[in-house]
Amino acid sequence: MTERKAALPRGAGIWNLYFLGKFALVWLGYLNFKPLWNAALLALVLLPLERRALRIVRNLAALGCGFSLAWHESWLPGPRAIVENFENLLNFRPEYLLELVMNAIDPTFLVVAFVAVVAWFISSEWIRWTTFTILGLVLFSLPDPKGFVDRILAPEPEVTQATAPQTAASAAAPAAAPAAAAAPAASGPLPAQTEPANDAAISRWLEAFWNSEKDRRVAFPEQGAARDFDIAILNICSLSFDDLEATNLAEHPLFRRFDVRFENFSSATAYSGPATLRLLRGACGQPSHEALYKGRAPACEVMGQLERAGFTPELYMDHNGEFDGYLQALRDRAGLTPALTSQDGWRANLEAFDGSMIYRTADVLRAWMRNREAARAARPDAPGAAFFNFIALHDGNRAPGTTRSLAFDTRAKTMLNDLDRVMGEIEQSGRRVMLVVVPEHGAAVRGDKVQMASLREIPSPRITRVPVLVKFFGLPDAARPSGQIVVREPVSYLAVAELLKRAVTCSPWSEGCTPAADLVKDLPLTWPVAENSGAQVLSYGGRSWVRLEGDRWVAYPD
């Protein structure tokens, strides 16, 4: 009777395609590689098993583990994000969900994958691809695989006396990037970034950031002094600098109308609910995403402070505010008390991704102008503070009666043109108005290596760097800025609250008060730190870093 021998390992077989394809994606910056888990998966694949039933079980287990690992290494939303948003996904139109799926499919990737499979089948008989898989696993287990390869292919030249000063200067350059940390004392504390960038150092710095933000406050004056102007705060969904550049709208004439433009304003999140909450609670330093949802903070509520300062609060939206309990959350967590202004008679310009109506931007603003005129006629000494929320630029909106989403640039042109026309009407009316435009976040019109277009699970700088704009209508010549003021320092919602507080304390329309140009001097700075429920992105040491839930900090792929 012959003795049965255990089957010898024959290599990783078609699994080599999985690993080699993953190495290519890691090299290009599309995956966040986990060496230990990949080594375990390769060991499972190479495990010699004699029984066919065991091999079937092993292969099924490897398939499940390989899919889960690749998903975890990608930047796609995790299971928690999917579960938390599952009810909202059910409210999306089926056509919109299909668009999202189709947008996720890259034809170039499919072609490359097909060619790779064909090439593997042709060459697998005479090339031992498992050897390359093992070498690749070793290479990508190194802390800096690209640097290691670069040093082998192009060794650094020996530093001579002639080249030493230049090398030292270039090495010192990155250290100068966080210069904003050396802010004036009036701008509030900004923790210095002095340690070399690594997971532990960035985590310590972030904790110091949260602690420093807890004590920052903007206190508005109490009611008493006459308020001779109205305030309009426009919170616009899905509009970032990157979106404007991607659609060639950065030079739209509207932007030249404003007196102040913030170049480095961080929305601190990539989703509407938390973005609006942060704006409405902007009279305090930036809280973490978790702290944002722990009850009320009346001392931080901007609309409440304006009401106590003598302004009548008003609320306008181009939508019904019902999706995901948006309006109710603003009432529960940000103290937004005014009733939603009636939308009767407004034109239904778009249909939202959930099938609800979206009204024309110009109609919303003109309704506010009519209501303000009537309120001023009844009580000339009763100024108003109106909060607006516009979602016309949100992904998935379509023209009524159609099934396909309307292009972002088409919708953006319509909104910008409406704002331009209405601003002209306010100027012609001679009214005294402080208009503040604060986008919620960007639309992610063009994706990057981390996320495809329209996906905003990770709050990247492309999504969170938004154009905040201010216009003072009806200023006397002495108080009017000579040209547009550009604020280039890193700021966030606390700067908006401080600007409102300064205007309320002594308005630039009043004789003997601060000119508009002086209102934006030494505003409180805020380092760019952005969060969603399962992802964080911040600037440290001159570059962006990202951390997913339960993971380590890694450099954001360029």
Side-chain angles (χ1 to χ4, degrees), residues 182-495:
S187 296
L190 285 177
Q193 297 179 344
T194 55
E195 295 186 80
N198 56 56
D199 181 69
I202 297 174
S203 296
R204 283 193 294 270
W205 180 88
L206 182 59
E207 190 62 32
F209 173 82
W210 296 136
N211 290 333
S212 68
E213 291 295 299
K214 289 178 182 177
D215 298 326
R216 305 179 81 183
R217 295 284 186 278
V218 171
F220 285 59
E222 294 293 333
Q223 184 175 2
R227 314 299 181 207
D228 51 357
F229 66 101
D230 295 315
I231 294 173
I233 303 172
L234 277 57
N235 195 210
I236 300 175
C237 177
S238 303
L239 185 66
S240 70
F241 278 109
D242 191 69
D243 298 330
L244 293 171
E245 293 165 5
T247 52
N248 297 315
L249 290 172
E251 300 301 323
H252 192 283
L254 167 74
F255 299 115
R256 293 195 290 271
R257 284 188 175 273
F258 289 90
D259 297 316
V260 182
R261 183 177 81 246
F262 290 88
E263 285 284 334
N264 284 297
F265 186 99
S266 170
S267 68
T269 183
Y271 276 108
S272 298
T276 305
L277 284 176
R278 290 184 181 280
L279 172 58
L280 291 174
R281 290 170 53 166
C284 293
Q286 182 173 321
S288 67
H289 181 84
E290 182 182 4
L292 189 64
Y293 286 89
K294 290 184 177 179
R296 291 269 307 275
C300 305
E301 294 167 0
V302 171
M303 293 299 288
Q305 295 238 33
L306 288 172
E307 185 174 14
R308 287 189 290 275
F311 290 80
T312 302
E314 303 166 288
L315 175 61
Y316 294 81
M317 293 183 177
D318 66 353
H319 57 106
N320 58 26
E322 294 178 3
F323 183 78
D324 198 25
Y326 174 79
L327 179 53
Q328 191 57 49
L330 302 185
R331 299 197 187 286
D332 294 341
R333 295 188 171 93
L336 190 63
T337 58
L340 180 61
T341 300
S342 172
Q343 299 169 337
D344 292 343
W346 297 357
R347 288 171 291 176
N349 186 45
L350 295 167
E351 192 173 309
F353 50 86
D354 64 345
S356 61
M357 291 295 104
I358 301 175
Y359 301 99
R360 188 71 180 258
T361 303
D363 287 7
V364 181
L365 292 170
R366 285 168 180 153
W368 162 72
M369 291 172 66
R370 291 193 299 270
N371 292 340
R372 271 287 86 213
E373 186 176 3
R376 282 287 193 177
R379 286 192 57 191
D381 61 339
F387 182 80
F388 298 79
N389 184 258
F390 296 100
I391 67 166
L393 303 186
H394 192 286
D395 186 58
N397 295 341
R398 60 181 181 176
T402 63
T403 58
R404 187 164 181 81
S405 298
L406 201 58
F408 175 87
D409 58 348
T410 302
R411 290 177 284 121
K413 285 177 186 176
T414 300
M415 172 176 276
L416 297 179
N417 289 340
D418 276 3
L419 284 174
D420 194 35
R421 280 192 291 269
V422 172
M423 288 182 70
E425 293 168 12
I426 297 174
E427 278 185 336
Q428 292 175 2
S429 72
R431 299 182 185 194
R432 295 178 172 184
V433 177
M434 181 179 180
L435 177 68
V436 184
V437 176
V438 186
E440 295 175 357
H441 51 73
V445 169
R446 54 185 175 188
D448 58 18
K449 291 181 178 180
V450 171
Q451 294 180 116
M452 67 179 187
S454 301
L455 194 62
R456 292 178 282 108
E457 286 300 314
I458 298 174
S460 71
R462 282 190 174 190
I463 300 172
T464 58
R465 181 174 165 259
V466 296
V468 171
L469 307 155
V470 183
K471 175 67 177 179
F472 301 95
F473 292 96
L475 282 177
D477 291 341
R480 187 178 298 125
S482 57
Q484 189 175 76
I485 304 164
V486 179
V487 180
R488 292 187 170 84
E489 292 78 15
V491 296
S492 195
Y493 301 102
L494 194 69

